[in-house]
Amino acid sequence: MKSSERKVLLNQINRLEDELAHEKEENRILKQHVNNIENYRLEYEKLIAEVKEELQAVKDIKEYFGKLKDGFAEEISGLQ
């Protein structure tokens, strides 16, 4: 093998090693982003569940006060 061929091959190996290192870094960053997205998704789902619970509580309170109002209306009409 000629010296020039050896240099070309070594340069190609170095270039490929650099590209591999760059790809590994990109993959690490992408995995980090995927993990962050998953954390955001879980937090979003948790917030949605909390909002649903709050809405149900509000509906329950509204229903309770509606029944209370109807009861008062019946009592008032009975007094007249």
Side-chain angles (χ1 to χ4, degrees), residues 18-74:
D18 289 344
E19 287 179 18
L20 180 62
H22 181 74
E23 288 292 323
K24 284 181 179 180
E25 179 62 16
E26 282 184 0
N27 286 339
R28 184 191 66 76
I29 291 169
L30 289 173
K31 284 180 185 178
Q32 185 178 6
H33 289 307
V34 167
N35 289 338
N36 288 341
I37 290 169
E38 180 64 17
N39 290 340
Y40 294 141
R41 185 188 64 80
L42 292 173
E43 185 65 24
Y44 174 77
E45 288 177 356
K46 179 182 171 186
L47 291 172
I48 293 296
E50 289 176 10
V51 167
K52 286 181 180 179
E53 288 176 11
E54 291 289 328
L55 286 174
Q56 187 58 49
V58 168
K59 287 178 184 177
D60 293 344
I61 291 170
K62 182 180 176 183
E63 182 181 336
Y64 170 78
F65 282 115
K67 288 179 182 178
L68 197 60
K69 180 182 115 182
D70 292 343
F72 286 146
E74 286 177 20

